[in-house]
């Protein structure tokens, strides 16, 4: 049996509004994700924060407060420890039914998880994954050590790793600028733009270069930043920085053009 | 334009004659100096980096903004880039005006704006060997 678990997102502080209630084509992200999970799973449950009121038998309030996504998973695994859990976060709007089916069809005996690898940095994605009952054992150990780190949990699982068939499969939306980028991409064919990206100060240190030529499928600077951030594991947060195009400051929603020279700059420290 | 970026020692004593004229009753300067401590650590050296085109254009705009905002006669600002030693002048601002009140205000305005708006970064090396691009500290805030 496969049960689905919808992660509805934490406080959505970076987005400034609950991500699950964002809408596209008349459907909330939550409803879309529930619909996809119900097409693939036998039953679908919704992870809720600790203390939330249940409106039906499929609501799963966390067993403890402030545990992050691992808290939602731990609650689900405790609820039904003998089945597979297909976990999906509601802020992965490019994931479709075929992508979930592929996880299910790729299941292997004696593996804890089937997951996609981020195409930019090959890091396993835990928010769109199929967990076997054996993953519960590993998760219990993580909780015993007082960790709530999803990444180190995943690193200790035996994994079936899938390469996404497209670069933007695992796009997730954190800031309003990410949402704007995603909306700008909908309904348009993916097109590539060749640009030059310049990195300054700490970003240059982390990227390992002061500039590079990039082929981007993004529409806005926010999308281009996300591509570069994932590729180089850049640590600065989008709202802390200022972008510039061709030596003029601009906004993250700016639609850039082929051959533009884009500068990503961390917070200034002159004077 | 009176915003300057230089990789050599700032000749602060030569700036007054470029800024003050006979109408001026006030001359206010701010000299930012490389100090030997930051967040409790001992600084041994420091390097300023910048985005050349944007630092110049933004600096120019800020000087013009000060001239537009305050009834002053002249505004001059110069910022170092490259390696600096402790005790050296890193940034120098000079304001000349008929009267002192607006000169003080314009000087405060200009240094506050330069610190937050001009794409310049500070790379510090400490006595323990660590080096880091600094982040704004609680004291680096606008008044």
């Amino acid at each position: 049996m496969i049960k689905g678990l919808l992660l509805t997102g934490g406080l959505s502080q970076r987005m400034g509004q609950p991500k699950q209630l964002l809408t596209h084509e008349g459907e909330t992200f939550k409803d879309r994700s529930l619909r996809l999970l119900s097409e693939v799973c036998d039953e679908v449950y919704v992870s809720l924060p600790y203390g939330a009121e249940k409106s039906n038998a499929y609501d799963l309030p966390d067993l403890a407060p402030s545990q992050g996504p691992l808290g939602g998973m731990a609650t689900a695994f405790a609820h039904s420890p003998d089945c597979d859990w297909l976990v999906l976060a509601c802020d992965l709007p490019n994931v479709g039914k075929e992508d979930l089916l592929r996880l299910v069809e790729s299941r292997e005996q004696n593996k804890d998880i089937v997951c996609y690898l981020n195409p930019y940095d090959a890091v396993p994605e835990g928010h769109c994954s199929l967990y076997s009952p054996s993953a519960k054992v590993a998760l219990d150990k993580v909780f015993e050590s007082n960790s709530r780190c999803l990444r180190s949990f995943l690193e200790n699982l035996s994994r079936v790793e899938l390469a996404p068939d497209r670069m933007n499969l695992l796009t997730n939306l954190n800031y309003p600028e990410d949402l704007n980028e995603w909306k700008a991409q909908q309904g348009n064919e993916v097109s590539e733009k060749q640009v030059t990206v310049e990195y300054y100060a700490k970003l240059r240190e982390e990227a390992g270069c002061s500039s590079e030529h990039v082929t981007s499928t993004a529409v806005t600077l926010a999308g281009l930043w996300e591509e570069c951030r994932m590729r180089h594991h850049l640590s600065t947060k989008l709202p802390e920085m200022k972008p510039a195009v061709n030596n003029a400051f601009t906004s993250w929603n700016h639609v850039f053009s082929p051959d533009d020279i884009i500068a990503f700059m961390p917070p200034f420290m002159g004077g | 334009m009176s915003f300057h970026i230089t990789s050599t020692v700032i000749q602060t004593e030569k700036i007054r004659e470029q800024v003050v004229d006979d109408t001026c009753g006030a001359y206010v300067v701010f000299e930012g100096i490389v100090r030997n401590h930051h967040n409790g650590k001992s600084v041994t050296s420091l390097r300023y980096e910048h985005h050349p085109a944007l630092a110049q254009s933004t600096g120019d705009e800020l000087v013009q903004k000060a001239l537009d905002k305050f009834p002053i006669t002249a505004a001059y600002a110069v910022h170092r880039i490259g390696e600096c030693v402790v005790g050296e002048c890193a940034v120098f601002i000079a304001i000349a005006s008929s009267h002192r009140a607006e000169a003080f205000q314009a000087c405060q305005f200009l240094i506050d704006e330069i610190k937050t708006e001009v794409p310049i970064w500070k790379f510090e090396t400490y006595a323990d060997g660590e080096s880091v691009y600094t982040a704004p500290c609680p004291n680096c805030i606008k008044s």
Side-chain angles (χ1 to χ4, degrees):
Chain A
M1 160 168 269
I2 298 178
K3 296 192 180 181
L5 180 69
L6 179 63
L7 299 177
T8 52
L11 299 173
S12 296
Q13 280 179 331
R14 291 172 289 178
M15 184 61 74
Q17 55 177 312
K19 287 198 267 192
Q20 55 175 321
L21 299 181
L22 294 172
T23 60
H24 182 66
E25 293 178 345
E27 194 179 29
T28 64
F29 278 16
K30 177 185 175 182
D31 286 343
R32 177 182 182 273
S33 305
L34 278 175
R35 175 170 55 77
L36 292 177
L37 284 170
S38 60
E39 289 172 12
V40 176
C41 304
D42 300 297
E43 291 172 1
V44 179
Y45 292 78
V46 178
S47 175
L48 295 179
Y50 174 78
E53 266 198 43
K54 294 175 59 152
S55 56
N56 59 59
Y58 297 98
D59 282 344
L60 282 185
D62 281 0
L63 294 173
S66 307
Q67 306 290 299
L70 287 187
M73 290 187 223
T75 303
F77 297 171
H79 179 277
S80 303
D82 298 325
C83 70
D84 290 337
W85 279 96
L86 183 57
V87 174
L88 179 64
C90 68
D91 61 353
L92 296 171
N94 292 335
V95 170
K97 180 182 171 184
E98 298 306 314
D99 305 306
L100 299 181
L101 279 173
R102 191 175 163 211
L103 289 170
V104 173
E105 287 156 8
S106 302
R107 191 183 179 285
E108 285 179 23
Q109 202 86 10
N110 301 325
K111 296 285 189 182
D112 300 323
I113 184 176
V114 185
C115 60
Y116 289 101
L117 296 183
N118 188 308
Y120 290 95
D121 59 8
V123 169
E125 173 59 67
H127 295 108
C128 170
S129 310
L130 182 69
Y131 293 85
S132 302
S134 57
K136 179 181 185 304
V137 174
L139 185 55
D140 289 343
K141 284 200 182 120
V142 166
F143 271 60
E144 274 163 32
S145 69
N146 272 328
S147 166
R148 298 296 178 265
C149 176
L150 176 63
R151 187 158 179 169
S152 52
F153 167 55
L154 295 175
E155 281 168 5
N156 288 316
L157 296 179
S158 59
R159 302 185 295 273
V160 176
E161 296 175 339
L162 306 179
D165 58 5
R166 54 203 191 278
M167 292 300 285
N168 68 357
L169 171 67
L170 300 174
T171 294
N172 90 309
L173 309 180
N174 289 310
Y175 296 102
E177 292 85 354
D178 298 331
L179 178 62
N180 184 66
E181 163 71 21
W182 182 77
K183 287 192 169 179
Q185 294 205 6
Q186 299 317 298
N188 296 320
E189 271 188 34
V190 173
S191 70
E192 291 184 345
K193 292 183 272 195
Q194 316 260 357
V195 294
T196 301
V197 175
E198 295 177 341
Y199 301 103
Y200 288 84
K202 186 177 174 195
L203 293 176
R204 190 191 68 248
E205 226 174 28
E206 293 177 344
C209 60
S210 57
S211 70
E212 60 179 351
H213 296 299
V214 169
T215 301
S216 171
T217 54
V219 175
T220 69
L221 292 182
L224 175 64
W225 162 253
E226 189 61 11
E227 291 174 349
C228 297
R229 183 191 69 78
M230 285 194 282
R231 190 163 53 245
H232 294 297
H233 295 278
L234 303 176
S235 62
T236 313
K237 307 271 187 299
L238 183 143
E240 295 171 355
M241 297 192 306
K242 288 191 179 175
V245 174
N246 302 333
N247 293 330
F249 286 116
T250 185
S251 76
W252 287 109
N253 295 331
H254 174 88
V255 175
F256 62 96
S257 304
D259 301 323
D260 276 348
I261 299 173
I262 292 126
F264 289 136
M265 294 173 282
F268 307 147
M269 259 302 285
Chain B
M1 286 297 162
S2 281
F3 182 82
H4 305 269
I5 297 168
T6 179
S7 55
T8 58
V9 173
I10 297 173
Q11 311 270 334
T12 59
E13 67 284 358
K14 296 190 176 164
I15 293 170
R16 188 183 187 282
E17 65 201 37
Q18 300 180 50
V19 178
V20 174
D21 66 31
D22 290 346
T23 69
C24 299
Y27 178 62
V28 171
V29 306
F30 170 78
E31 181 169 347
I33 307 163
V34 178
R35 64 175 189 269
N36 65 0
H37 63 98
H38 180 73
N39 280 345
K41 299 185 77 153
S42 177
V43 176
T44 54
S45 66
L46 179 153
R47 179 179 78 230
Y48 284 105
E49 300 176 2
H50 69 319
H51 182 299
L54 274 173
Q56 184 64 61
S57 61
T58 310
D60 289 340
E61 283 168 16
L62 290 177
V63 168
Q64 188 59 53
K65 217 167 150 183
L67 288 165
D68 293 340
K69 190 175 163 76
F70 302 98
I72 56 178
T73 307
Y76 184 104
V78 54
H79 203 299
R80 277 293 307 276
I81 55 158
E83 301 286 338
C84 294
V85 299
V86 170
E88 206 169 341
C89 174
V91 57
F92 190 85
I93 296 169
I95 309 286
S97 65
S98 295
H99 305 286
R100 69 184 185 284
E102 52 266 28
F104 281 118
Q105 289 164 6
C107 194
Q108 173 98 67
F109 169 82
L110 206 38
I111 183 59
D112 286 350
E113 290 293 301
I114 284 170
K115 284 175 89 66
T116 61
E117 303 303 318
V118 178
I120 292 177
W121 298 275
K122 196 186 296 184
F123 185 76
E124 280 182 343
T125 301
Y126 303 108
D128 63 8
E130 192 197 351
S131 295
V132 67
Y133 285 98
T134 59
C137 67
N139 291 320
C140 297
I141 53 172
K142 290 183 186 179
S143 59

